[in-house]
């Protein structure tokens, strides 16, 4: 992936601040990641706002590699801001940037206590993407994804896709459906799949539009994004975590669906082509 000169000031780096481990829980790392990774809507039902943590320790000095990671995230955040500002303006709307928080182990979010085992997620309550970069090692080792710089860019673009859904009111509508109690678990699972696949579609739109503007893509980048999308398909996660696949319990979409919708976004570059709800909820 080719770097640009753009950097965003909306990235907060909390790494090195300590924070300790959350007491309680009980779910294994793999299962938590399977549930929460790329979570759509409001994750407060899973994140604990009352979890006990140890007192923060003194801030440590970040090394050169960690500083480089920060700079990379600042760049990707800036490219998301520029691309989505342009897309919103073309559709007579105003884009409000999301914030990005880098952390390690645990930190507090607007949706509760964030843990590294949960993987990257977007919190609509504070319109912030939370990223513990150690998850990408797990993504490669436990889920079989090929991890490159563009893998990270794809994951961030997916989470920014959830931010776009919040700005457009989609997140709020899904949350209203969930809270109403009028829909079965199976119905809400299908809605969740549509929500996640739309975020994948938006990630593809971002990749296309940003490459058109900045020429960021290099050979293998799209393949790396597809590898990550397929790795976090419900069927792959279930097979690796429990040894069998239950399609009725899908909440994020199959590996094939995640690839399909990311590529549809990338091939069209058109935000108007991403109505996953109409196509999947018929």
């Amino acid at each position: 992936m080719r770097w640009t000169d753009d950097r965003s000031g909306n990235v907060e780096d909390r790494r090195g601040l300590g924070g300790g481990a959350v007491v309680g829980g009980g779910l294994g790392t793999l299962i938590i990641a399977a549930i929460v990774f790329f979570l759509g809507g409001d994750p407060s039902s899973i994140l604990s706002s009352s979890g006990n943590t140890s007192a923060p320790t003194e801030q440590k000095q970040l090394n050169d590699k960690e500083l480089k990671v920060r700079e990379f995230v600042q760049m990707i955040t800036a490219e998301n801001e520029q691309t989505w500002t342009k897309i919103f303006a073309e559709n007579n709307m105003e884009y409000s940037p999301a914030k990005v928080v880098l952390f390690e182990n645990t930190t507090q979010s607007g949706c509760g206590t964030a843990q590294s085992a949960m993987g990257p997620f977007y919190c609509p309550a504070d319109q912030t993407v939370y990223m513990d970069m150690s998850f990408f090692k797990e993504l490669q080792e436990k889920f079989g994804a090929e991890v490159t710089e563009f893998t990270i860019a794809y994951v961030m673009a997916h989470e920014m896709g959830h931010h776009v859904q919040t700005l457009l009111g989609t997140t709020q509508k899904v949350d209203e459906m969930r809270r109403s109690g009028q829909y079965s678990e199976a119905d809400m699972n299908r809605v969740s799949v549509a929500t996640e696949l739309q975020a994948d579609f938006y990630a593809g739109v971002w990749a296309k539009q940003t490459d058109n503007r900045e020429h960021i893509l290099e050979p293998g980048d799209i393949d790396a994004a597809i590898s990550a999308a397929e790795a976090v398909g419900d069927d792959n996660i279930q097979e690796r975590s429990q040894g069998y696949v239950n399609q009725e319990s899908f909440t994020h979409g199959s590996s094939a669906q995640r690839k399909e919708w990311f590529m549809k976004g990338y091939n069209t570059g058109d935000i108007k082509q991403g109505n996953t709800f109409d196509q999947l909820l018929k």
Side-chain angles (χ1 to χ4, degrees), residues 11-119:
V11 177
E12 179 185 353
D13 195 345
R14 298 180 187 173
R15 295 172 301 166
L17 292 176
V22 172
V23 177
L27 288 177
T29 298
L30 187 63
I31 302 302
I32 293 176
I35 294 172
V36 186
F37 188 69
F38 291 166
L39 189 68
D42 184 354
S44 59
S45 60
I46 296 177
L47 304 186
S48 170
S49 60
S50 59
N52 296 319
T53 63
S54 60
T57 59
E58 280 188 35
Q59 184 171 11
K60 70 176 183 180
Q61 192 75 21
L62 299 179
N63 60 37
D64 290 344
K65 184 177 179 180
E66 290 169 326
L67 293 174
K68 194 71 173 177
V69 167
R70 177 201 292 167
E71 186 179 4
F72 179 74
V73 170
Q74 289 171 334
M75 179 190 72
I76 296 301
T77 303
E79 298 308 336
N80 271 276
E81 291 169 354
Q82 292 188 32
T83 293
W84 285 112
T85 295
K86 176 177 177 290
I87 292 173
F88 269 54
E90 290 171 348
N91 289 275
N92 300 314
M93 297 181 294
E94 184 175 352
Y95 181 73
S96 175
K99 294 182 180 179
V100 177
V101 168
L102 288 170
F103 73 99
E104 54 190 8
N105 299 323
T106 66
T107 195
Q108 290 301 313
S109 79
C111 297
T113 300
Q115 304 177 52
S116 59
M118 295 171 174

Side-chain angles (χ1 to χ4, degrees), residues 6-8 30 35 47 64 71 97 114 144 194 210 214 231 237 242 281:
D6 301 319
R7 303 291 184 269
S8 172
L30 187 63
I35 294 172
L47 304 186
D64 290 344
E71 186 179 4
T210 304
E214 292 284 359
I237 290 176
Q242 63 190 22
L281 302 181

